[in-house]
Amino acid sequence: MSTLDNAIQRLLNNAGVLKKSELTARQRQALEQFAQQTRLIEIIKQGRSTRYQVRHETALAGYLARQQPLTEAELPADIPNRSRNVGLHAGSKQGKSTHDAYYLLMKAWADGVIWSNGKDQLDVAAMTQQFGLAALQVGANQAWQCMRPLLLIENQALFDRCDWLENSFDGCLIYYAGQLPENLLQWLAERPRSPQLVLFPDYDGVGLSNYVRVLESIHPETRADFYWMPDWQEKLQKFGDTTVWAKTHTQFENACHKLQAIGAMDENFQQLARLSQHTGKALEQEAVWL
């Protein structure tokens, strides 16, 4: 339910009147804008007090019904989250919008990269050689594990072409796009999926925030590391992007504070913070080839 719909529902449940103090700042703002547009709600100010009062209850209830085509009781229990959101809110991304399953897209960088759940096996090395990649649907309460390092990269170019990767790496590459999905992090937290998980994001606010999320959620028996590309300091100064830094520097600084708080702000991160703040630049993954 949106902020506005929630506030309207509270009004209707409270005999059509609410004091300003009973609403959040976002709810008040939403109601005031809605009142100006529709005149279905009246804002009454008396001295220092302000209250929100329904003017046309039937029309307001009708508006709310149009925003919520179905009730929870009218929906099948087993439909996907986004279909449920369409039924409840007439929008797939309102409410819980994550999917129940996630699909690992993987490549093996050595022979013997195998996932096993105790009964079945997925030979990622063989699948990579034959088909170019392997895929695994993951969800809650699964026993899948791989005894090789996992290297998560957020850029398809680096997943398509792997000549940037050191020959010494003998593990499994996993592709993700932008933000690490919450259901993937939950899956990684359930059990030790691998002895080591390495994250290779862009060196910006989004990338560092994702690394913090990994550290905060990964199973304690899995070691988590950050991938530092060769000569990243020089690359940052020469090829860094000021626009990316401007868009993500608040996230970057928040992530650095969290790394400091959990004792993960090592020398590399300290140097990255100093250089990024001094130059006003963030470094993208594609610089690995330069």
Side-chain angles (χ1 to χ4, degrees):
M1 183 177 291
S2 71
T3 300
L4 174 61
D5 293 349
N6 183 274
I8 292 173
Q9 187 67 70
R10 289 188 61 192
L11 266 174
L12 293 172
N13 292 344
N14 202 58
V17 180
L18 281 173
K19 296 178 182 178
K20 179 179 180 179
S21 59
E22 297 177 282
L23 295 161
T24 68
R26 290 184 62 190
Q27 288 174 332
R28 294 195 297 268
Q29 182 180 10
L31 281 178
E32 288 166 9
Q33 184 176 1
F34 181 77
Q36 292 174 358
Q37 294 171 342
T38 67
R39 304 295 183 183
L40 297 180
I41 295 171
E42 186 175 8
I43 303 171
I44 302 172
K45 296 183 179 181
Q46 293 178 330
R48 293 186 175 183
S49 68
T50 301
R51 70 177 187 269
Y52 299 81
Q53 184 169 314
V54 175
R55 295 183 65 188
H56 303 288
E57 183 175 350
T58 302
L60 191 61
Y63 166 83
L64 193 61
R66 290 192 296 275
Q67 308 311 304
Q68 300 172 276
L70 298 174
T71 66
E72 189 73 45
E74 294 175 301
L75 289 169
D78 59 348
I79 64 173
N81 290 327
R82 294 199 176 193
S83 294
R84 181 176 302 277
N85 292 342
V86 171
L88 292 175
H89 313 296
S92 67
K93 295 179 176 62
Q94 296 186 54
K96 182 182 177 184
S97 60
T98 56
H99 301 287
D100 293 328
Y102 182 76
Y103 297 89
L104 288 183
L105 300 181
M106 303 177 288
K107 285 186 176 182
W109 194 242
D111 293 334
V113 177
I114 294 172
W115 284 81
S116 172
N117 64 4
K119 298 182 298 182
D120 305 307
Q121 288 191 341
L122 176 65
D123 191 332
V124 180
M127 296 286 286
T128 302
Q129 185 174 6
Q130 187 172 0
F131 302 109
L133 57 78
L136 178 66
Q137 183 190 57
V138 300
N141 304 315
Q142 292 181 333
W144 288 108
Q145 291 179 303
C146 178
M147 298 314 296
R148 298 290 185 87
L150 308 180
L151 176 54
L152 277 66
I153 54 176
E154 68 166 288
N155 188 304
Q156 185 175 328
L158 277 73
F159 186 72
D160 291 340
R161 177 176 160 180
C162 303
D163 56 354
W164 55 272
L165 191 57
E166 298 89 347
N167 289 327
S168 59
F169 180 73
D170 64 350
C172 183
L173 285 170
I174 296 176
Y175 168 72
Y176 72 97
Q179 288 283 3
L180 285 168
E182 193 61 36
N183 49 2
L184 173 59
L185 290 174
Q186 292 172 0
W187 186 77
L188 291 170
E190 281 185 1
R191 64 180 63 223
R193 303 295 179 182
S194 166
Q196 181 186 21
L197 186 149
V198 184
L199 186 71
F200 184 11
D202 289 332
Y203 296 5
D204 64 1
V206 175
L208 261 66
S209 296
N210 274 319
Y211 185 58
V212 169
R213 294 171 66 214
V214 168
L215 292 176
E216 290 177 337
S217 61
I218 201 167
H219 192 278
E221 293 181 28
T222 300
R223 172 183 164 186
D225 291 301
F226 191 91
Y227 184 89
W228 298 99
M229 67 177 84
D231 304 318
W232 65 266
Q233 300 93 332
E234 291 77 13
K235 288 181 170 66
L236 173 63
Q237 295 180 76
K238 188 172 183 179
F239 306 114
D241 190 312
T242 56
T243 302
V244 174
W245 169 256
K247 288 180 179 179
T248 68
H249 78 274
T250 299
Q251 292 171 277
F252 184 97
E253 292 168 1
N254 290 339
C256 285
H257 289 314
K258 290 181 180 180
L259 289 171
Q260 187 74 48
I262 61 179
M265 192 71 173
D266 62 20
E267 185 177 342
N268 276 322
F269 284 116
Q270 292 173 16
Q271 190 175 10
L272 175 61
R274 288 195 300 269
L275 280 173
S276 292
Q277 290 165 351
H278 176 70
T279 61
K281 295 179 178 180
L283 186 64
E284 296 177 285
Q285 284 181 310
E286 289 90 344
V288 73
W289 280 295
L290 300 175

